[in-house]
Amino acid sequence: MRSADLIELWRGGRRESIHRGHAVICDRSGVLEAWGAPSRVIFPRSSCKMIQALPLIESGAADAAGLTDRQLALACASHDGARMHVEAVGDWLDGIGMAEPDLRCGCHMPRDREENRRLTCSDGAPSQLHNNCSGKHAGFLTLNRHLRGGPEYIEPDHPVQQAVKAAFEEVTDEVSPGFGIDGCSAPNWACTLEGLGRAMAAFADPGQDRRGQAMRRLVDAMRAHPEMVAGEGAASTVLMRATQGQAAAKEGAEAVFVAILPERGIGVALKVVDGASRASEAAITALLVHLGVLDADDPAVDRHLPKSIRNWRGMDTGDMRTSTGFPA
Amino acid sequence: MRSADLIELWRGGRRESIHRGHAVICDRSGVLEAWGAPSRVIFPRSSCKMIQALPLIESGAADAAGLTDRQLALACASHDGARMHVEAVGDWLDGIGMAEPDLRCGCHMPRDREENRRLTCSDGAPSQLHNNCSGKHAGFLTLNRHLRGGPEYIEPDHPVQQAVKAAFEEVTDEVSPGFGIDGCSAPNWACTLEGLGRAMAAFADPGQDRRGQAMRRLVDAMRAHPEMVAGEGAASTVLMRATQGQAAAKEGAEAVFVAILPERGIGVALKVVDGASRASEAAITALLVHLGVLDADDPAVDRHLPKSIRNWRGMDTGDMRTSTGFPA
């Protein structure tokens, strides 16, 4: 099976660019709808951070450290490195007796406009706290303190990553064919898109067991603190707010996007094959409308799937639209 | 005919993302090699600026205004808005008795790091001189002064744009099926990828007539001033320098790239269907190596088609590569 046409850019009455990809909508029983090839193996990248955070709760480490829902949202985040994110991760590390040098995620300039400007104009350098994955890594460090593992918690055979791998394989219901090293240096386990969709359905319709309780807690944390999961203006945050909490949404690098719809018991996962975030954001937006949790007239829809694209002088130059057959 | 696999991103021994597209290599007699569908209609966007500059020379306007080769390179440019570009366009307008408000390209923040930083940290706003197309628009204004047209020189039926359309249809040897409005508000005429490749071959192997002389002058200007065509670190500039003037190269938005190889009498044109510049830059790099004008060991090749992609901590996470069958 091949990828499917998902998102198109039009100009002058003509299709200028097109994004292909794969998408699935799942419930507990399996795939409800699919586009492209649900069996395609992908790297979920940061879209699976809520899976990576399961051992943090299930081990008892989160409660032992007294983590709040806001911190759990941050453990699932690819944040913008705004002051609120940087300070929250710094406070978290302080609370567990650790500090920025204990992180292994590396430094990059924050996407948050104000913090980026502050650093740029003061000749400041970003710290590892600015890394969009620093919340996930704070979670890893918290788990690691609990497990009494060595400091190189991002190594694939480290107890922290082995716990993550076990949870990942259980919720995707697959044996992972391998891992890649992510931008933040942690291993990122591969799975089929269908496996990722199944995992999101499990988060949407969790059981009453220890795992189900951990899933519910993470999804509720994400929905309660959408600004901690990404940042002001970022797609995940915008879409979670626009669905008024009906969906927890999370992006991953190279155009992966997932959504968890607890009231519907539905999980969504998609991957745009070319890795363009403009397309994965548009595609998840279209699927949230399709599933009835996002109003087609909501400004978030026009933001990510604009009916009119304007140039520097405000002239209409074209539009972005879904391809025939996607989603309906 | 469908698009072809062109460029791939690999991670953890697995293909993570893929870019498809169309590419042609032409000489005066037609298509020598092709990938995907050369008959696909595209918007060349800024890749055709040397075509849009033909009437500027052929009309006598460039000589009447005493334009230098550096200014002609700027007329073909999508520049980074560095101080040197902004000042050169400002001086040009001054030289023809016009000024920034006469431009119709709109304002956007410059890509040039230093100028962007200067504006950001001084609360400054970009002017139309910073627009990456301001050199092309200075060329339009110079032609317009010569033609004594009205001030709205970017309207499709304006004498300036009609002259551009005539030249475009002649060198592509096609009747354009229509236009789209570009980011800079000028009409951008559509053509087949093969037509664009044919046009680049004509620039590479021009005749001795008035048109041939104009083509030669523009290609020589681009090769003599690669820093004016894009900017320090930009793909067009880097690749022109790396080929030591054996190729004039120009990018267009939504992943179009062309190259003109005068010593070989060859023109190249490509479009990545998803619009990703990382892929069009990688693909044109691969084609320049394929054509023997760029050494496979040149740092420019590893820059645009990296054998090792490193994360924030310097760890190797994967690589970028050409797909099987592209280019060879």
Side-chain angles (χ1 to χ4, degrees):
Chain A
M1 274 204 293
R2 297 176 51 215
S3 55
D5 293 350
L6 297 183
I7 299 295
E8 306 180 3
L9 284 102
W10 284 62
R11 179 181 302 270
R14 191 173 294 282
R15 189 173 77 187
E16 183 172 24
S17 296
I18 184 163
H19 297 276
R20 296 178 62 89
H22 313 285
V24 284
I25 297 174
C26 297
D27 70 6
R28 271 271 183 200
S29 64
V31 174
L32 300 177
E33 287 188 89
W35 297 264
S39 61
R40 195 58 55 88
V41 173
I42 65 158
F43 288 114
R45 307 295 296 276
S46 288
S47 77
C48 71
K49 277 177 175 161
M50 74 294 284
I51 302 177
Q52 294 173 307
L54 285 172
L56 172 65
I57 297 179
E58 293 171 4
S59 65
D63 285 336
L67 296 192
T68 63
D69 276 0
R70 192 161 177 266
Q71 287 169 312
L72 291 178
L74 206 47
C76 301
S78 298
H79 64 71
D80 280 351
R83 287 311 300 166
M84 65 174 176
H85 302 121
V86 170
E87 288 169 4
V89 177
D91 290 347
W92 181 348
L93 295 181
D94 196 45
I96 59 171
M98 308 203 87
E100 191 266 0
D102 294 312
L103 293 170
R104 294 291 182 269
C105 49
C107 307
H108 65 75
M109 284 292 278
R111 283 175 304 214
D112 178 75
R113 185 188 291 249
E114 273 315 301
E115 182 66 357
N116 191 303
R117 182 192 155 108
R118 188 185 72 78
L119 289 170
T120 298
C121 302
S122 66
D123 277 327
S127 77
Q128 294 191 93
L129 301 175
H130 289 96
N131 187 305
N132 74 90
C133 299
S134 67
K136 178 178 80 173
H137 283 249
F140 286 159
L141 281 173
T142 305
L143 175 60
N144 194 31
R145 194 183 65 150
H146 198 76
L147 299 178
R148 301 172 190 275
E152 301 308 317
Y153 64 86
I154 44 85
E155 291 183 354
D157 58 357
H158 188 281
V160 164
Q161 299 308 330
Q162 286 296 307
V164 167
K165 182 191 180 196
F168 184 81
E169 293 190 326
E170 286 160 19
V171 297
T172 57
D173 197 17
E174 292 177 0
V175 175
S176 174
F179 67 89
I181 299 297
D182 214 328
C184 70
S185 298
N188 192 254
W189 300 93
C191 65
T192 65
L193 188 71
E194 184 180 339
L196 185 60
R198 255 195 311 266
M200 294 305 109
F203 272 87
D205 187 11
Q208 296 302 324
D209 57 356
R210 186 183 191 81
R211 166 135 307 157
Q213 288 167 21
M215 286 176 160
R216 198 172 285 110
R217 199 163 152 193
L218 288 167
V219 172
D220 287 348
M222 290 174 72
R223 295 193 290 170
H225 302 280
E227 75 287 356
M228 298 310 282
V229 176
E232 296 303 330
S236 296
T237 298
V238 166
L239 290 171
M240 278 194 273
R241 285 186 181 147
T243 63
Q244 299 177 322
Q246 293 180 83
K250 183 71 191 75
E251 67 184 315
E254 292 294 322
V256 182
F257 227 117
V258 299
I260 298 163
L261 283 57
E263 282 74 29
R264 301 282 301 280
I266 279 176
V268 179
L270 67 88
K271 157 81 181 173
V272 177
V273 298
D274 58 66
S277 57
R278 70 176 182 185
S280 56
E281 292 170 5
I284 196 74
T285 299
L287 287 176
L288 292 174
V289 172
H290 175 64
L291 288 166
V293 292
L294 180 59
D295 193 289
D297 295 327
D298 193 284
V301 177
D302 202 52
R303 181 186 184 98
H304 295 297
L305 204 49
K307 288 185 195 68
S308 170
I309 297 173
R310 308 222 161 235
N311 71 7
W312 306 112
R313 289 173 69 231
M315 294 175 75
D316 176 281
T317 60
D319 66 273
M320 203 169 185
R321 61 181 80 164
T322 53
S323 299
T324 303
F326 179 77
Chain B
M1 276 205 293
R2 296 175 51 215
S3 55
D5 293 351
L6 298 181
I7 299 296
E8 306 178 3
L9 284 102
W10 285 62
R11 179 182 302 269
R14 192 173 293 281
R15 190 173 77 188
E16 182 172 24
S17 296
I18 183 163
H19 297 276
R20 296 177 62 88
H22 314 284
V24 283
I25 298 174
C26 298
D27 70 4
R28 271 274 185 198
S29 64
V31 174
L32 300 177
E33 287 187 88
W35 297 264
S39 62
R40 195 58 55 90
V41 173
I42 65 158
F43 288 114
R45 307 294 298 274
S46 289
S47 77
C48 72
K49 277 178 174 160
M50 73 294 284
I51 303 177
Q52 293 174 306
L54 285 172
L56 172 65
I57 297 179
E58 293 172 3
S59 65
D63 285 336
L67 296 190
T68 63
D69 275 2
R70 192 161 178 265
Q71 287 169 312
L72 291 178
L74 206 45
C76 301
S78 299
H79 64 71
D80 280 352
R83 286 312 299 167
M84 67 174 173
H85 302 121
V86 170
E87 288 169 2
V89 177
D91 290 347
W92 181 347
L93 295 181
D94 196 46
I96 59 169
M98 309 202 86
E100 190 265 359
D102 295 313
L103 293 170
R104 295 289 182 271
C105 49
C107 307
H108 65 75
M109 284 292 278
R111 282 176 305 214
D112 179 76
R113 184 187 293 249
E114 273 314 302
E115 183 66 357
N116 191 304
R117 181 193 156 109
R118 189 185 71 77
L119 289 171
T120 299
C121 303
S122 66
D123 276 326
S127 77
Q128 294 191 93
L129 300 174
H130 289 95
N131 187 304
N132 74 89
C133 298
S134 67
K136 178 178 79 170
H137 283 248
F140 285 159
L141 281 173
T142 305
L143 175 59
N144 194 30
R145 193 184 68 149
H146 198 74
L147 299 178
R148 301 173 190 275
E152 301 308 318
Y153 64 86
I154 44 84
E155 292 183 354
D157 59 356
H158 187 281
V160 164
Q161 299 308 329
Q162 286 297 306
V164 167
K165 182 192 181 196
F168 184 81
E169 293 190 325
E170 286 161 18
V171 298
T172 57
D173 198 18
E174 291 176 0
V175 175
S176 173
F179 67 87
I181 300 297
D182 214 328
C184 70
S185 298
N188 192 255
W189 300 93
C191 65
T192 66
L193 187 72
E194 184 181 339
L196 185 60
R198 255 195 311 268
M200 294 306 109
F203 271 86
D205 187 11
Q208 296 302 322
D209 57 355
R210 187 182 190 83
R211 165 137 307 158
Q213 288 167 21
M215 286 175 159
R216 198 171 285 110
R217 201 165 152 192
L218 288 167
V219 172
D220 288 348
M222 290 173 72
R223 294 193 290 170
H225 302 281
E227 75 287 356
M228 299 309 281
V229 177
E232 295 305 328
S236 297
T237 298
V238 166
L239 291 170
M240 279 194 273
R241 284 186 182 147
T243 63
Q244 300 177 321
Q246 293 179 83
K250 184 71 192 71
E251 66 185 316
E254 293 295 323
V256 182
F257 227 117
V258 299
I260 298 164
L261 283 58
E263 283 74 29
R264 302 281 302 278
I266 279 176
V268 179
L270 67 86
K271 157 82 182 172
V272 177
V273 298
D274 58 67
S277 57
R278 71 177 182 185
S280 56
E281 292 170 5
I284 196 74
T285 299
L287 287 176
L288 293 173
V289 172
H290 175 64
L291 288 165
V293 292
L294 179 59
D295 194 291
D297 295 328
D298 192 285
V301 177
D302 203 50
R303 180 185 185 98
H304 295 297
L305 204 49
K307 289 185 194 69
S308 170
I309 297 173
R310 308 221 162 238
N311 71 9
W312 306 113
R313 289 173 70 231
M315 294 176 76
D316 176 283
T317 60
D319 65 273
M320 202 169 187
R321 60 180 81 162
T322 53
S323 299
T324 304
F326 178 78

